[in-house]
Amino acid sequence: MATSVRGPHELEEEHHNKRMSFVKTHAMRLRDNVRCKNLWQETSGALGDLGTFIPILLALAYVNGVDLGTTLLFTGVYNIATGLLFGVPMPVQPMKSIAAVAIAEGPDRLTVPQIMAAGLSTGAVLTFLGLSGLMTLVNKIVPLPVVRGIQLSQGISFGITAVKYMLSNQDFKNNKSKGDRIWGGSDGRFLALAACIFVILCTGPGGGRQCGCSAQESEVKSRQSQDRLRNSAQDNGDVNDVESLDNKPQEEPRRKWIIPAGIVVFVVGVVLAIVRDPKTLGALSLGPSALKVVSISKHDWKVGFVRAAIPQIPLSVLNSVIAVCKLSNDLFPEKVVTPLSVSTSVGMMNLVGCWFGAMPVCHGAGGLAGQYKFGARNGLAPLLLGAAKLVLSLLLGSSLLRLLASFPIGLLGAMLLFSGVELAIACRDQNSNEDAFIMIVCTVVSLSKASAAIGFATGMGVFILLKLRELPTEYPKWIQSVRNLTKKSRV
C-alpha cells in the first residue's frame, strides 16, 4: 500500500490540534477543581483556618515587623494557585516553628531578614526533597500509625491553644497569656461559648468521610447489612420480619442546619472589632504596601538556618506534607494529592515570597481539617479566600493591622478548637491494639516534648520494636550450632 506523505500545512495543523487539546484538557481540569457546588458553604469553609493564620500573623507583624500587606498579597496568590491546582481546600498557613522562634521572649528575637532566611532555607530543602523523589520515598516508609500520631498531637495541640484563647487574655507581642478573660463584654467567655454552641449546631460532630471508606462503599455496606438481616429472617422462618424489612419505609434524612457558621462567626468578629475600637475605621488608608527585596546578610543566613529552619524542616516534612497528603486522600479520594506536588508547592511559595518579606508559609493538616469542618469541599474555598486577601492587600495594605488586632480572640479560639477536633477525629481508623499503641505513644511524646520530630522518632522506634517481636523465636541454625559447640567445650 502506498503511504500518503503529509505536507507541512497538515503537520502544522496536527500540532496545533494537539496543543489545543492539551490546553482544553487542563482548562477543564482547572474548572472542575473550582466548580461551584455551594457558594455559601465554600465561603464558610474558606474562613475555617483563620484561627491559626490571624494570631501568628499579628504576632510576627507586631513583634518582628513582618509586613502585613505584603504577606496578604503573596498568601492570596498562593491560595488561588493551590485552589486551582489541587482542587481541594489546601490551606496556606504560617510556619509555626519559625514563628515560635521568631516571637520568643528575649533580646535575641529574629529580625525580618533572619525570618526570611529561615523560610528560604526550608523552602529550598522541601523543593529538593519533592523534585528528587525523596519525599515520596519518605511517605512510603513512614507507617500510618506514626502519621496518625503526628495528626493527633497536632489536633490536641490546636485544641489546647484554642481553650487558652477562650479562657485567658492573650499578649501576642510577648507570646503568653495575661490573666483570665472576663465572662461578659465584647470578647468574654460567654461570647466564645456562644460561638462554640453555634458551630456545633451548624456543623455537628464533623469527622468527614470515614478514613479509607468512600460514600459509595458506605452505601454498599449499608445495603449488605440490610440483606444479611433479611436472609437471617428467612432462615428462621420469620415471614413477618421479612415483610417488615421489605415494606419498611426509608428513613427521612434528618434536617440539618445550613447556616454557614464560618461566615457568621467572622462577620460578628469584624463588627465587634469595630465596636471595641471605633478608631480602627479612621486608621484605614487606601493603597498597597510597597514591595521591597529583603537584604539578607551572611550572618542572617546562619542565624535563620540554625535557629529556625532546622527545627521547622522536620515539622514541615511530617505535618505539612506527609500528614496533609494522607488527610487529603482520606477526605477527597477522587483528588489524588502526592507528596511531590505538596512538597514542591511549599518550597516554591517560600522561594518566591520570602525574598519580598512575606511571612514563611506551608500547607498544614490542621488547616485542611478546619476548612473541611466549616464546609469547604473543593478548590473554590481557597480561591475565594485568596481573592479576598488580594483585594484587601491592594486596597488597604498594612493599615488592616489595627482592625485585626481588635478582632475578638475568643472567636478565633472557637474556630481553632473545632479545627483541632476535626484533625484529631481523622485518627479514628487505628482500631488494632498495635496501631493504637504506636499512635498514642507518638502523640504523648510529641506533646510532652513539644516536638513533632521527637515524637516521630519515638513512634518509628516503637514500630520497629513491635515488628521485631514478630520474628521467629527459635534461633537460626548457625546460632544453634555455636551454642551446641559451647556446651560441649564446657563439658
Side-chain angles (χ1 to χ4, degrees), residues 97 122 304-315:
S97 184
T122 306
F305 180 77
V306 173
R307 291 184 55 191
I310 290 179
Q312 177 64 52
I313 290 171
L315 179 63

Side-chain angles (χ1 to χ4, degrees), residues 206-395:
R209 181 176 293 161
Q210 177 66 37
C211 299
C213 180
S214 65
Q216 293 179 350
E217 291 172 345
S218 300
E219 184 179 352
V220 170
K221 290 180 179 180
S222 177
R223 191 180 301 113
Q224 290 175 348
S225 177
Q226 188 86 355
D227 293 338
R228 283 195 298 269
L229 291 174
R230 183 179 293 104
N231 293 334
S232 177
Q234 289 176 347
D235 294 339
N236 296 331
D238 297 332
V239 180
N240 293 332
D241 290 344
V242 176
E243 293 178 354
S244 64
L245 286 172
D246 291 333
N247 299 328
K248 184 178 180 180
Q250 296 292 331
E251 294 183 1
E252 295 183 1
R254 294 182 179 179
R255 184 177 181 182
K256 297 181 179 180
W257 290 34
I258 58 174
I259 301 175
I263 298 177
V264 174
V265 172
F266 182 74
V267 170
V268 170
V270 172
V271 172
L272 290 177
I274 297 173
V275 171
R276 295 176 68 196
D277 187 6
K279 295 181 180 180
T280 54
L281 295 178
L284 298 177
S285 59
L286 294 176
S289 300
L291 290 181
K292 296 179 293 184
V293 177
V294 178
S295 177
I296 306 176
S297 66
K298 185 177 180 180
H299 176 72
D300 293 331
W301 282 108
K302 179 181 178 181
V303 173
F305 180 77
V306 173
R307 291 184 55 191
I310 290 179
Q312 177 64 52
I313 290 171
L315 179 63
S316 295
V317 170
L318 297 172
N319 186 59
S320 301
V321 180
I322 296 177
V324 165
C325 291
K326 180 56 184 173
L327 181 62
S328 176
N329 293 329
D330 286 340
L331 297 176
F332 309 99
E334 68 280 0
K335 299 284 187 179
V336 179
V337 175
T338 64
L340 186 152
S341 60
V342 176
S343 182
T344 307
S345 172
V346 174
M348 295 306 297
M349 287 191 300
N350 292 283
L351 289 177
V352 173
C354 288
W355 284 113
F356 298 93
M359 174 181 66
V361 294
C362 61
H363 303 309
L368 176 59
Q371 294 189 80
Y372 185 92
K373 170 68 178 179
F374 285 91
R377 293 297 181 270
N378 61 21
L380 180 61
L383 189 146
L384 293 173
L385 179 61
K389 288 180 179 179
L390 277 180
V391 171
L392 290 175
S393 66
L394 295 175
L395 287 180

